[in-house]
Amino acid sequence: MKFQDKTVVITGSANGIGRGLAEAYALSGARVIISDVHEEQGNLAASILKEQGLNAVFVPCDVRKEEDIKRLMNQAVQYAGTIDILINNAGVSRWKSPYELTVEDWDDVINTNARSCFLATREAAVHMKKAGNGGAVVNMSSTRSIMSEPNSEAYAASKGAIVALSHAMAVSLGPDGIRVNCISPGWIETGNYDELRSADHKQHPAGRVGIPADIAKACFYLTDPDNDFVTGAHLVVDGGMTRKMIYEP
Ligand SMILES: NC(=O)c1ccc[n+]([C@@H]2O[C@H](COP(=O)([O-])OP(=O)(O)OC[C@H]3O[C@@H](n4cnc5c(N)ncnc54)[C@H](O)[C@@H]3O)[C@@H](O)[C@H]2O)c1
């Protein structure tokens, strides 16, 4: 119960990796603030945890909106008294040729993925600083911050921005005892794992595709109060895929 009575805010946690993180932290004793733009799915995720006797509540938030983010952090503090941990996980992708990608597409992806990390960290940090107990922030980047497939410009740029933003905020917020780190997940399967092909697993040096629990373990490491020497780090969790040299046959 490493995170007993810690308050953890997780954006985009109605589904996928975020939902897995919410469950993992709740099972470790944390008070979890599940937040998402999808209210029905967010309420469902929180109620499933509550039925297990775990401490979770849903607060709606569209991370593209500054006022929503401010309200989320205020409500988290009203509910739990403090914010100890923030996981900026909400994200969208858009695969479009750079010839087709519009300014609206670009702004939506950048604002959802990257600007939200800045705004949410800033707003959570105000509360963390006031409480005087420090805090830990994890931003969810992607291995696409360091390598690419075609037609991923907005997503790749947003994830690269998250890596840079994380070390900048680690330096700025260090004096307030707030650590900021980021994770670049590789292929983390959030759908039906059983439907993956053997080739999907075998292409990974680790021998398998990832699951949300792999990212939860990385978040646990980065947000563990004992690991207070770790800040500004970029942790790649990808089964070794970005370390594999590929020559076309
Ligand atoms: N799954 C992977 O393989 C993988 C790999 C690298 C990085 N990531 C990153 O991990 C994070 C989670 O990915 P996932 O695969 O679980 O995605 P997902 O689509 O399953 O979940 C993303 C969640 O974010 C929410 N969301 C979207 N826009 C939002 C907004 N404006 N405000 C609030 N919430 C919003 C969605 O409703 C959803 O619940 C993302 O940042 C993604 O870029 C995922």
Side-chain angles (χ1 to χ4, degrees):
M1 301 298 266
K2 193 87 187 172
F3 296 96
Q4 187 73 45
D5 296 331
K6 296 283 182 201
T7 303
V8 185
V9 176
I10 309 173
T11 66
S13 48
N15 299 290
I17 293 173
R19 187 165 172 175
L21 299 180
E23 185 183 14
Y25 274 105
L27 284 168
S28 295
R31 291 183 289 258
V32 179
I33 316 292
I34 293 179
S35 183
D36 206 282
V37 70
H38 284 296
E39 297 200 18
E40 201 180 319
Q41 293 161 19
N43 273 313
L44 179 67
S47 62
I48 288 171
L49 295 183
K50 278 190 260 183
E51 277 163 22
Q52 297 170 54
L54 301 173
N55 195 334
V57 67
F58 173 67
V59 178
C61 172
D62 181 339
V63 295
R64 290 168 295 190
K65 298 180 180 162
E66 184 180 20
E67 63 274 18
D68 272 28
I69 289 178
K70 286 186 173 179
R71 195 176 54 234
L72 165 63
M73 300 310 166
N74 286 334
Q75 284 187 234
V77 171
Q78 270 168 23
Y79 172 76
T82 56
I83 300 170
D84 300 295
I85 294 166
L86 166 66
I87 315 282
N88 286 312
N89 166 78
V92 290
S93 50
R94 201 149 309 162
W95 312 125
K96 259 190 180 182
S97 154
Y99 297 110
E100 312 286 332
L101 193 76
T102 65
V103 166
E104 289 74 24
D105 291 327
W106 175 269
D107 286 350
D108 192 58
V109 174
I110 298 289
N111 289 347
T112 306
N113 296 1
R115 192 180 73 169
S116 66
C117 289
F118 166 65
L119 293 173
T121 304
R122 184 188 72 188
E123 292 307 314
V126 169
H127 294 288
M128 289 170 173
K129 185 178 178 183
K130 202 168 153 196
N133 300 318
V137 177
V138 175
N139 294 321
M140 211 55 74
S141 181
S142 164
T143 47
R144 289 167 190 271
S145 65
I146 49 173
M147 62 197 306
S148 291
E149 286 179 305
N151 305 325
S152 62
E153 280 70 20
Y155 186 79
S158 75
K159 294 301 184 180
I162 289 171
V163 174
L165 173 73
S166 301
H167 62 68
M169 291 197 94
V171 172
S172 298
L173 301 178
D176 298 321
I178 300 167
R179 299 184 296 113
V180 183
N181 292 290
C182 76
I183 296 174
S184 279
W187 181 351
I188 305 299
E189 184 56 44
T190 58
N192 190 344
Y193 200 80
D194 295 336
E195 282 177 7
L196 294 172
R197 303 165 306 157
S198 140
D200 298 331
H201 295 296
K202 279 191 186 149
Q203 66 186 287
H204 289 77
R208 66 172 176 84
V209 171
I211 55 174
D214 296 313
I215 304 304
K217 282 181 265 188
C219 285
F220 279 13
Y221 168 71
L222 294 173
T223 61
D224 186 330
D226 285 350
N227 297 330
D228 62 351
F229 197 56
V230 183
T231 191
H234 175 199
L235 184 56
V236 175
V237 182
D238 70 343
M241 281 287 272
T242 52
R243 288 301 190 194
K244 195 169 104 176
M245 201 173 278
I246 298 172
Y247 288 102
E248 300 285 343

